[in-house]
Amino acid sequence: MSVHEQVGWLSLAAAAGFGAAGWWWLVQHRPPREIILLSLDGHAVAHPIPTDGTQLPVSYLLTGPAALARVQAAPPAQAPQVAPRLVEDPPAAPQAEEEPEVPEAFLDPISLGITHDPVVLVGTGAIYSRESLFQWLATGSRVCPKTNILLKDIEVVPLTALRQTIREWCERHGVAQPQAANAAANEAALAPLGPELQGLLASLRGGDVRLRGVAAGKINNMFIDWQRTPAILDMAEARTAAFKDMMLDLLWLLRHGDYYGAGVAAAALSQADAAMRVGEDVRHLLATLGALPAARLLHATDVYAQHSAARFLSIMRGLLGGELAAHVAGAGALSALCRQLQPGFPYVRCSAAVAIVAIMEYLPNRTELRRVGGVQALRRMVVEVYEAEDAGPTKQMHARYDCRDAAHALIAACATDEELAGQVPDSFVDHEGVLELTADMLRVFRSCGQAWIEGRVPRPGQGLDPQEEEELTSSDEEAAEAGEEAEEEEAHARADESEWETDEEGA
């Protein structure tokens, strides 16, 4: 008999009142794997010692010397076979109701929570919550978070049917829906802008492409009116909410609408800077989603669509980044913009000049603009400001806007004095006392004040307010950096040319 068995017997005998003598009698007279129990009716029972952790039955009782005498008097062979009864486990404590298992198709790959307001990233087919994906894309990343695929063109489309399916599932299982709270908050934010906006949003999202274009045109006109309404200009939160609410719908129309629809969509989206004054994160997102469709719209046969695309790209300054700027240039944007710099273009040309700045500030190689004749076209725009001196006030003001933005584009292109050289009108000499346009003069035009553009002072460097003075200093620093970059590029080009000549001689 093992030590554990003996200890167990001793514990049971002591508990029953047998004492040490009783335990010894039990050890000597019973099999090593059985124990004597006395039933309530006085019978002695041999019961196996449980080896699997089962509790001993409670229907048997061992007490005092009388119990020991009865055990001694009862031979083991005559003991009745009473089936032991196991003690029932206590009832389990009530468990909390388990949360429903969310279908995998309803989970957002970024937040790992339920997908609210689902959208699809068209290039990969991955589905995300709108806000999660927007936050990701606003960083400038062009990688699909779920598939890790690098996308050249990024298109995001709302999934209205899936949104309704997820909403019904949440209601059926009692799951909270942040989307419902967000929708209510968004509706409350848009309310101060008037009931007409809600009707236009409904038209923008329903009906055929033509009707959506009509709605986008009315929205663009509404944005223009807002710029003249001080009360709405003070509603920054409401304006931002309205723009974010309709942004994907306008971007869809920019891609898939006819020339009129795409043109008014681009025009409305370009109001992000002026009428809407949205934050930097929204503008970054707009660049990521809209720059390439706008670059393709530049090649439309409709001049209004071309001009609207240039306006859209003109608000992309500081937002494109090197990779996206290269894709936009690769779509032929520079050559299309240079066509808008020609004197016969029916709309203002300054938008095209600023769009060139937005692209060129990220391109290390500026030869493409020179190849398509952009430097000479921009130079001509600068000089034309003096040819418009005898024209009416409106034409003079447009010519000065063109001059300012063309000068900026030439600085971004690192135009040299040799490229700027050429015949200029006689009136040019009267104003500046020089015969040739120079890089230094470009910086003066680039940082001209509003007083000169409106004709209140005779020269571009006069009448500057404190903010314009600060911009002038910034422009000088910009020019210095651009000059250093140009010298570096020229040095690399000379080194490459020298290396090529050496190889030729060796061959």
Side-chain angles (χ1 to χ4, degrees):
M1 181 183 302
S2 70
V3 174
H4 292 291
E5 291 170 340
Q6 294 183 21
V7 172
W9 283 30
L10 176 60
S11 301
L12 185 58
F18 288 150
W23 169 76
W24 180 251
W25 186 92
L26 289 172
V27 171
Q28 296 298 320
H29 293 83
R30 300 311 304 164
R33 293 195 176 274
E34 292 182 343
I35 191 166
I36 298 300
L37 301 177
L38 189 64
S39 69
L40 295 174
D41 60 2
H43 294 293
V45 179
H47 192 286
I49 296 175
T51 59
D52 58 353
T54 304
Q55 300 183 31
L56 287 170
V58 295
S59 59
Y60 302 100
L61 184 63
L62 293 173
T63 60
L68 177 58
R70 292 186 183 185
V71 170
Q72 291 173 340
Q78 297 178 359
Q81 299 296 318
V82 181
R85 181 169 57 87
L86 300 181
V87 178
E88 296 181 359
D89 293 333
Q95 296 182 354
E97 186 177 349
E98 294 184 1
E99 293 185 0
E101 183 177 353
V102 182
E104 187 176 352
F106 292 178
L107 294 177
D108 174 25
I110 297 177
S111 68
L112 303 182
I114 296 178
T115 304
H116 297 284
D117 198 2
V119 295
V120 61
L121 192 57
V122 174
T124 62
I127 296 173
Y128 302 92
S129 289
R130 180 195 293 241
E131 195 61 31
S132 296
L133 184 60
F134 277 12
Q135 289 176 3
W136 173 267
L137 295 176
T139 65
S141 175
R142 306 189 68 77
V143 175
C144 171
K146 184 176 182 179
T147 64
N148 206 34
I149 295 175
L150 178 63
L151 297 172
K152 176 181 178 180
D153 189 8
I154 297 179
E155 181 178 6
V156 177
V157 177
L159 298 176
T160 307
L162 179 59
R163 178 177 60 188
Q164 183 61 29
T165 301
I166 294 175
R167 180 181 298 174
E168 292 172 356
W169 184 91
C170 289
E171 291 175 352
R172 191 163 55 250
H173 292 85
V175 177
Q177 301 180 67
Q179 175 189 349
N182 293 342
N186 190 58
E187 186 175 346
L190 297 181
L193 299 176
E196 183 185 0
L197 179 61
Q198 293 293 347
L200 290 176
L201 285 174
S203 300
L204 184 63
R205 291 165 182 162
D208 58 22
V209 173
R210 186 187 65 82
L211 292 178
R212 294 186 186 198
V214 172
K218 292 179 179 179
I219 288 173
N220 182 48
N221 292 336
M222 177 183 289
F223 287 171
I224 295 172
D225 291 339
W226 285 359
Q227 296 181 64
R228 308 187 188 105
T229 310
I232 292 182
L233 287 177
D234 293 336
M235 300 177 187
E237 183 180 351
R239 291 198 319 272
T240 300
F243 189 84
K244 290 176 70 174
D245 196 40
M246 67 181 70
M247 183 170 63
L248 284 186
D249 302 291
L250 291 171
L251 285 166
W252 182 91
L253 195 61
L254 173 63
R255 287 177 176 273
H256 305 292
D258 54 22
Y259 285 152
Y260 171 76
V264 292
L269 289 167
S270 68
Q271 302 286 347
D273 237 10
M276 310 309 292
R277 300 181 187 176
V278 297
E280 196 75 5
D281 56 336
V282 179
R283 293 176 65 235
H284 269 290
L285 183 62
L286 194 58
T288 300
L289 299 176
L292 267 177
R296 289 191 283 268
L297 188 62
L298 289 170
H299 301 281
T301 55
D302 182 81
V303 291
Y304 174 74
Q306 296 173 16
H307 170 62
S308 297
R311 284 180 59 195
F312 178 86
L313 290 173
S314 70
I315 71 168
M316 296 291 108
R317 282 190 55 202
L319 301 174
L320 293 181
E323 189 176 3
L324 183 53
H327 291 325
V328 170
L334 290 175
S335 60
L337 289 168
C338 286
R339 287 196 293 271
Q340 295 190 30
L341 301 178
Q342 304 306 320
F345 191 73
Y347 294 94
V348 293
R349 297 173 289 167
C350 55
S351 296
V354 179
I356 289 173
V357 174
I359 300 170
M360 294 297 296
E361 62 186 350
Y362 289 105
L363 294 183
N365 188 348
R366 297 172 172 84
T367 58
E368 174 66 15
L369 185 66
R370 290 165 170 78
R371 187 185 67 78
V372 297
V375 171
Q376 290 306 309
L378 290 166
R379 179 193 179 280
R380 184 167 54 248
M381 282 178 64
V382 173
V383 173
E384 283 175 359
V385 70
Y386 292 101
E387 297 176 349
E389 282 189 339
D390 296 332
T394 301
K395 187 173 181 180
Q396 283 187 18
M397 185 171 65
H398 287 165
R400 288 168 181 169
Y401 273 121
D402 289 348
C403 173
R404 180 197 63 185
D405 295 328
H408 192 182
L410 287 169
I411 292 172
C414 299
T416 63
D417 286 343
E418 289 76 13
E419 289 176 310
L420 297 174
Q423 187 64 40
V424 296
D426 293 339
S427 57
F428 204 77
V429 178
D430 295 337
H431 278 281
E432 299 295 340
V434 293
L435 292 174
E436 302 292 346
L437 188 64
T438 64
D440 288 337
M441 292 169 62
L442 291 180
R443 286 190 285 275
V444 175
F445 286 127
R446 161 66 186 91
S447 301
C448 67
Q450 193 66 24
W452 178 70
I453 289 178
E454 295 174 359
R456 290 184 276 116
V457 294
R459 296 188 180 183
Q462 297 176 341
L464 301 181
D465 61 30
Q467 184 178 353
E468 290 168 343
E469 290 280 2
E470 185 178 345
E471 289 179 2
L472 178 59
T473 304
S474 174
S475 176
D476 290 340
E477 293 173 358
E478 212 175 90
E481 290 177 7
E484 290 174 6
E485 288 178 7
E487 290 175 5
E488 242 178 73
E489 288 180 7
E490 192 176 346
H492 284 309
R494 283 197 300 267
D496 292 341
E497 187 177 350
S498 175
E499 185 177 347
W500 182 80
E501 290 175 354
T502 303
D503 292 341
E504 284 284 308
E505 290 174 2

